[in-house]
């Protein structure tokens, strides 16, 4: 068994023989509210690995550099080893979640323009929201890096909005992470799955994402299964 480099809430990173590549292993574990709520979503790892692999391949085709190399098995993705930029980038098209709370507005209203938000990636602090000044003052990224990150986030949003629309899904919001590979290139990392995206059925507004788990709505596995089938054509 290869060396475990890191274990997160939903994934484990393993070393490979190549120091430039790592295995991202997708678990069934689910957490919410900064890991205060814990549970399991049966076969989430299998579905998320396939969903993320498909989406990263599509993004590469339209010119977004990602860490994706190949899908190795049901739950394993071979990816480039990255030095992660400690910023979580949230892109929003529709009011939901913490934005609804912060602005005192109901969920579901479409935004007149896309909102990009930055959070400091630090579990102990509960990922607080930050702005560009914090990024530069605390040297989380250079101005050039942040410009590139924002540009890629918007590019991902533009692609994914129509990708999901074609599948009958409304892309409400999602979270991205970026990192630098060993050559120094800034690329999209982590995963794009119903764990980190809000996806609503276009016709019924039914939630097809981790909010079903967070809010105890039931039908969690069924929702992930539906997204998995639509995205992968399985
Ligand atoms: N998100 C995430 N990880 C986080 C926080 C948010 O993947 O640590 C995703 C979440 O799934 C949603 C979007 O980012 O699609 C916006 O989340 P929000 O700020 O509304 O926070 P939440 O309501 O999930 O606490």
């Amino acid at each position: 068994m290869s060396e475990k480099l890191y274990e997160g809430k939903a994934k484990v990173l393993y070393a490979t023989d190549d120091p430039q590549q790592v295995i991202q292993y997708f678990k069934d574990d689910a957490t919410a509210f900064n890991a205060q709520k814990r549970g399991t979503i049966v076969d989430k790892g299998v579905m998320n690995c396939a969903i993320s692999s498909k989406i990263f391949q599509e993004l590469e085709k339209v010119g977004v550099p990602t860490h994706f190399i190949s899908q190795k098995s049901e739950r394993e993705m071979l990816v480039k080893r990255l030095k992660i930029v400690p910023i979580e980038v949230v892109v929003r098209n529709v009011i939901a979640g913490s934005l609804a709370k912060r602005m005192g507005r109901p969920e579901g209203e479409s935004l007149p323009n896309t909102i990009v938000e930055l959070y400091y990636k630090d579990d102990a602090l509960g990922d607080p929201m930050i702005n560009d000044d914090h990024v530069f003052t605390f040297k989380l990224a250079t101005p050039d890096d942040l410009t590139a990150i924002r540009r890629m986030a918007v590019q991902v949003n533009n692609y994914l909005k129509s990708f999901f629309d074609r599948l009958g899904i409304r892309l409400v919001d999602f979270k991205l992470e970026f990192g630098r590979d060993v050559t120094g290139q800034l690329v999209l990392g982590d995963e794009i799955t119903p764990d980190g995206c809000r996806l609503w059925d276009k016709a019924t507004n039914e939630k097809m994402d981790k909010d079903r788990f967070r809010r105890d709505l039931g039908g969690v596995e069924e929702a992930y299964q539906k997204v998995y089938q639509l995205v992968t054509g399985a």
Side-chain angles (χ1 to χ4, degrees), residues 189-207:
D190 194 43
E191 65 180 285
I192 297 182
T193 67
D195 273 13
C197 301
R198 285 197 170 93
L199 305 169
W200 295 358
D201 186 305
K202 237 169 54 176
T204 64
N205 270 338
E206 197 192 15
K207 298 183 196 309

Side-chain angles (χ1 to χ4, degrees), residues 173-189:
D173 57 32
F174 58 97
K175 187 260 295 180
L176 299 175
E177 294 186 25
F178 295 86
R180 232 170 239 298
D181 69 15
V182 285
T183 71
Q185 193 193 12
L186 200 59
V187 307
L188 180 65

Side-chain angles (χ1 to χ4, degrees), residues 157-171:
N157 185 48
N158 288 338
Y159 179 77
L160 285 185
K161 252 195 309 189
S162 51
F163 174 83
F164 280 116
D165 188 71
R166 287 193 297 274
L167 302 177
I169 294 173
R170 193 173 177 202
L171 178 61

Side-chain angles (χ1 to χ4, degrees), residues 25-185:
Y25 178 93
F26 288 75
K27 300 190 284 185
D28 288 350
D29 300 354
T31 62
F33 313 118
N34 203 21
Q36 288 170 60
K37 180 182 172 97
R38 288 171 185 276
T40 302
I41 299 172
V42 177
D43 282 342
K44 171 168 82 77
V46 174
M47 298 186 277
N48 279 0
C49 186
I51 293 167
S52 212
S53 294
K54 169 71 179 172
I55 290 176
F56 279 132
Q57 285 175 78
E58 294 301 316
L59 288 173
E60 289 276 353
K61 280 189 212 160
V62 295
V64 178
T66 78
H67 67 159
F68 180 82
I69 299 171
S70 63
Q71 187 176 351
K72 289 305 255 185
S73 73
E74 267 197 330
R75 289 174 183 270
E76 292 173 308
M77 194 191 278
L78 184 65
V79 297
K80 292 176 181 169
R81 185 193 283 258
L82 300 185
K83 191 172 186 303
I84 289 287
V85 175
I87 300 172
E88 298 197 349
V89 181
V90 168
V91 182
R92 302 181 182 275
N93 299 305
V94 177
I95 297 179
S98 70
L99 178 64
K101 209 177 269 178
R102 192 177 318 115
M103 300 306 291
R105 298 282 281 265
E107 289 199 310
E109 211 176 292
S110 280
L111 292 162
N113 49 265
T114 303
I115 294 181
V116 176
E117 295 172 347
L118 308 176
Y119 294 84
Y120 179 35
K121 185 173 158 61
D122 188 312
D123 280 340
L125 300 176
D127 299 340
M129 194 185 200
I130 54 174
N131 67 21
D132 296 37
D133 283 345
H134 301 95
V135 171
F136 306 144
T137 304
F138 295 98
K139 296 195 177 352
L140 307 182
T142 64
D144 282 353
D145 281 353
L146 190 58
T147 300
I149 285 170
R150 282 185 181 278
R151 200 184 51 234
M152 283 196 269
V154 170
Q155 202 185 347
V156 171
N157 185 48
N158 288 338
Y159 179 77
L160 285 185
K161 252 195 309 189
S162 51
F163 174 83
F164 280 116
D165 188 71
R166 287 193 297 274
L167 302 177
I169 294 173
R170 193 173 177 202
L171 178 61
V172 172
D173 57 32
F174 58 97
K175 187 260 295 180
L176 299 175
E177 294 186 25
F178 295 86
R180 232 170 239 298
D181 69 15
V182 285
T183 71
Q185 193 193 12

